[in-house]
Amino acid sequence: MAPQRRLMMTLLGLLVVVVLGAGALLLGGPASLAGILGDDDDGGRGRGASGSAGPADQSVPGTVLLVPGYGGSTSGVQVLAGALERAGRQVQVVAAVGDGTGDLADQADALQRAATEALEAGAPSVDVVGYSAGGVVARLWLAGDGADEPVRRVVTLGSPHQGTDLARFAAVNAPQDCPEACQQLSPGSSLLRTLPEIPGDGTRWTSVWSTSDQVVVPPADASSLRGAVGIELQRVCSGARVDHGGLVRDPLAVGVVDAALDGAVLEGAPSSSDCDALTTRGRALLTQ
């Protein structure tokens, strides 16, 4: 049985015990983390004499590197990738290393390889969209090898920047089914304690999340990222019912990602007056 499936079954069993014994459900929804978490020639990347990339030009979109979540499945993010391509962007989905449940540093290495490929192909910079654990991978990469690359913007979707209680529950109650990435996504893990909030010189960060997320919990606390533009989808559209999996295919979420990657920099979170426009834009990109 795959690690994600085994973890899901174990957590579901534990939750049933909690409900029957205490009469209270501690975690809502599907108890699974499967959706979560050179030389002197600069190759035309705009590197300075020190070998480090200067701040990326915010007015020129870069190739979008789309990083999947815990478990590494790309099936869900392909919907978002298609929408962003229809918006006229170059998009590359970053394949996970192994089954996507190992050390997040390995996933950061895969992101570095994807960035190198895009930049050597002529991209002026890269934009990173990290879904769930993919957002933490983006931070880990920017704090390491990515610091030397021209990274224009990073958008994270339902990312457990401060860890998720679901991972902590698994680490404590089912450690045999909580592999390394699961442990790293537990609040207070050694990785999260030492990870800078928003690394990257001049990189613009946006953290998008939903109050209906039942995997990254509690959503507001887990998704908070100091220095980033924080966007709660329900503050844009009060009736939004976007769960964790829906963040990569919901019209509102897609519209928000498109806006965050657009030419004009989001200096603040969109408001309720933007609900219709963002939803309409996202729907158009999903159905073209």
Side-chain angles (χ1 to χ4, degrees), residues 66-254:
L66 188 48
V67 187
Y70 180 92
S73 172
T74 61
S75 59
V77 296
Q78 290 292 353
V79 176
L80 177 58
L84 295 177
E85 286 173 346
R86 284 187 284 275
R89 298 184 175 88
Q90 295 292 321
V91 181
Q92 179 178 345
V93 176
V94 181
V97 175
D99 65 359
T101 66
D103 190 350
L104 293 181
D106 292 338
Q107 311 308 324
D109 289 341
L111 180 52
Q112 172 62 33
R113 290 191 290 273
T116 298
E117 179 180 332
L119 294 166
E120 289 182 346
S125 63
V126 294
D127 293 324
V128 181
V129 177
Y131 169 55
S132 195
V136 179
V137 171
R139 287 173 58 203
L140 186 59
W141 175 61
L142 263 296
D145 291 339
D148 291 330
E149 307 294 358
V151 184
R152 175 177 169 267
R153 299 183 189 179
V154 178
V155 183
T156 67
L157 285 165
S159 293
H161 292 298
Q162 308 306 323
T164 170
D165 285 351
L166 187 60
R168 174 160 49 200
F169 185 82
V172 171
N173 294 283
Q176 73 281 2
D177 291 323
C178 185
E180 188 165 8
C182 168
Q183 297 171 32
Q184 291 173 329
L185 296 173
S186 179
S189 70
S190 58
L191 181 144
L192 294 179
R193 287 199 311 270
T194 58
L195 194 58
E197 286 281 312
I198 53 168
D201 181 18
T203 302
R204 303 300 182 98
W205 287 75
T206 304
S207 175
V208 183
W209 56 278
S210 170
T211 58
S212 300
D213 196 322
Q214 296 176 323
V215 173
V216 175
V217 290
D221 293 339
S223 302
S224 65
L225 185 61
R226 189 183 309 116
V229 174
I231 301 177
E232 176 191 321
L233 294 179
Q234 285 72 21
R235 289 187 179 273
V236 182
C237 296
S238 59
R241 297 291 181 267
V242 187
D243 62 12
H244 190 72
L247 286 166
V248 290
R249 57 177 177 267
D250 177 80
L252 172 60
V254 171

